[in-house]
Amino acid sequence: MKHLVWVTAILLLARAASAQEKLPVILPYNHMNIRELYLDSSNHHTAFKPILHVDTSAMYTQEDPVKRSLLYRKLFQEHLLEFRNKEYNVFIDFLPDFQIGKSREGNRTTWLNTRGAIIQANIGTKFYFESSFYENQGKFPYYLDQYIRKNDIVPGQGAIKDYSEGKAFDYNYANALLSYTPNKYLNVTAGYGQNFIGDGYRSLILSDIQFSYPYLRLTGNLGNVQYTAMWAQFMDKHSKDFAAAYSDLGYYKKWGVFHFLDWNVNKRLTLGLFDAVIWPDADSSGRKRGFDWSYMNPIIFLRSAEFSEGSSDNALVGANFKYKLLPKTTIYGQLVLDEFKIKEVFGGKGWWANKQSWQLGFRSFDLFKVKNLDLQGEYNAVRPYTYSYKSTLINYEHYNQSLAHPLGANFQEVLGIATYRYKRWYGRGEIMYAKYGDDPDTKTNFGHDISKPYTTHPNEYGNWIGQGIKTNLLYAQGTVAYVLNPKYNLRVEASLAARRLKNDITGSKTDLIFNFGLRSSFRQFYYDF
């Protein structure tokens, strides 16, 4: 019913429009097609996602020389419902994700039953609207099952309810986006979903691995500079005691403000500067603070403003870069400073509050001159206690998941991803290896779990990446898919994943996971942790 109301409103607004020419379609880039931005000879702003673009090729359904039945066109060529007009475009699709699989650990039969729907619409070239909703039931491999039960959330998707006598989970999630671009200099976006800052597979600044959250984003473009200011509200799902006592108020909320300045120095080099401040909606006694209007200042680097307020809000700063080394090869990287004292950093003693993270990677397209054969390699490292704070009320986390990397902190990671497309065939291979220091129990804090307060660090000095229970994680996955309908990415897909976790407490745990299904989605879920 909610979606029907939106569609009706869009159609009524469209009839009031005065455009005389047939207009193109506004669509968001996704991980399947963003490669075109890196291959373009000009230097685009690619770091802050989602990115909207005008797609003239999608204005009208291409004429098929062979007359097809309605069922054939809807399954393989068109959106389920299409309303194309000289003033507006509206697309409505059903998004299934039906999977069946097998996990060797515990000899588990896994499955997923997702029914989703999405509405996409634009009025002229200034308004774009998107809304989607997904109802899910699923049974997951053992390591994901344990993660879900511990954190009370399916990674990136939603809170859980027991299903099938506690053997599976019931959950749902939704996303929405409304974008207005009055001119080439400004875009205003309000949404309920995820954002991503960076050019890599992972982001150490702001990632899209977590559950949806409400946000308001202003983006300005002037010459070769793009500036973005975003305000968002997050939830602290750890505050269960508070939620039980004040059920009408729900979980504790926290707020975040993000600024990102992206400068295309030339056609090869792009430099970005970033800052963020997280502050609580209320303190531990329940005293309301709400949105802090002093953070409405859209100017980058608010540390001085945050300090002038006399607060101990959680502030981070960072940098992002990319450089087109070759016409089809781009290198990129990130640096995040959570705490930074030059004396301690260069003292070399491993002070606990030396909280930094860094990334270095590359993207290479049409490898060995094979069209659509792409390769990506990446290294990530995060020092202990980075992203953590005195309380989960103010740490760099939303709905029990990090706003940055799924491994939290106190780790090093190297990964490689290869993809290949041929007509409607798609193949993807990934291998990831990580070393991190885990905690022997729930009370000890060696800096891996960012939900633990950093005040519980056992040592003032001598803190290094990998301290604690040394853990090795190896994850590899291969996927083959045949795209039935590119309009809404309907595909038949098969995948095989291998995961091995080894440390001195649990020993070596190995799992082999096979999945087969009919899928339709553009969002990427991260289970490689």
Side-chain angles (χ1 to χ4, degrees), residues 296-333:
M296 278 301 294
N297 185 341
I299 306 303
I300 197 169
F301 296 132
L302 281 175
R303 184 66 186 183
S304 58
E306 179 260 342
F307 180 77
S308 68
E309 289 293 308
S311 72
S312 57
D313 295 342
N314 188 7
L316 296 87
V317 297
N320 186 81
F321 87 91
K322 71 172 181 182
Y323 182 76
K324 187 172 286 189
L325 189 65
L326 298 169
K328 294 187 177 182
T329 298
T330 298
I331 59 174
Y332 59 86

Side-chain angles (χ1 to χ4, degrees), residues 147 150 382 384-385 406-412 434-452 458-459 463-473 499 501-507 509 529:
Y147 177 92
K150 176 183 176 182
V382 181
Y385 309 107
L407 287 177
N410 191 19
F411 72 87
Q412 296 184 77
K435 296 177 67 175
Y436 63 89
D438 207 350
D439 297 328
D441 50 58
T442 57
K443 294 183 179 180
T444 308
N445 183 11
F446 283 113
H448 173 60
D449 186 350
I450 69 171
S451 66
K452 292 182 177 180
N459 303 308
N463 296 279
W464 313 105
I465 293 178
Q467 67 180 14
I469 305 301
K470 292 181 174 23
T471 304
N472 296 310
L473 173 63
R499 181 180 184 272
L501 183 74
K502 183 178 180 181
N503 61 37
D504 292 337
I505 294 182
T506 61
K509 291 185 177 181
F529 60 87

Side-chain angles (χ1 to χ4, degrees), residues 44-198:
H44 294 276
H45 296 286
T46 56
F48 211 126
K49 306 174 183 75
I51 304 170
L52 298 180
H53 70 109
V54 176
D55 185 5
T56 55
S57 66
M59 286 178 64
Y60 297 98
T61 305
Q62 296 180 352
E63 292 295 330
D64 192 337
V66 180
K67 188 172 180 61
R68 306 288 189 178
S69 67
L70 179 65
L71 179 61
Y72 181 92
R73 296 200 312 272
K74 294 304 177 183
L75 282 177
F76 302 108
Q77 293 180 333
E78 302 175 1
H79 294 281
L80 179 62
L81 295 175
E82 299 183 355
F83 303 93
R84 300 174 186 268
N85 191 279
K86 64 181 181 180
E87 299 168 345
Y88 62 86
N89 300 279
V90 180
F91 308 117
I92 303 175
D93 289 302
F94 171 66
L95 302 181
D97 195 348
F98 304 138
Q99 297 183 56
I100 187 72
K102 194 74 174 181
S103 173
R104 190 174 72 175
E105 186 175 9
N107 192 29
R108 297 170 63 89
T109 297
T110 62
W111 51 269
L112 182 64
N113 177 16
T114 294
R115 292 87 61 212
I118 185 170
I119 301 175
Q120 297 173 291
N122 67 278
I123 303 173
T125 56
K126 293 183 178 181
F127 287 96
Y128 173 76
F129 166 79
E130 177 182 304
S131 181
S132 59
F133 177 81
Y134 304 86
E135 176 65 31
N136 318 266
Q137 292 83 37
K139 184 178 180 180
F140 296 87
Y142 181 77
Y143 83 98
L144 278 177
D145 182 272
Q146 295 303 297
Y147 177 92
I148 293 168
R149 295 182 188 279
K150 176 183 176 182
N151 295 282
D152 197 32
I153 178 120
V154 178
Q157 295 167 77
I160 59 170
K161 295 185 292 184
D162 279 342
Y163 180 80
S164 185
E165 298 180 347
K167 298 177 182 178
F169 304 107
D170 188 326
Y171 59 99
N172 59 67
Y173 65 98
N175 293 297
L177 184 149
L178 177 62
S179 173
Y180 174 57
T181 308
N183 53 56
K184 66 179 182 179
Y185 304 108
L186 178 66
N187 172 265
V188 181
T189 297
Y192 183 74
Q194 300 81 23
N195 294 268
F196 187 98
I197 299 179

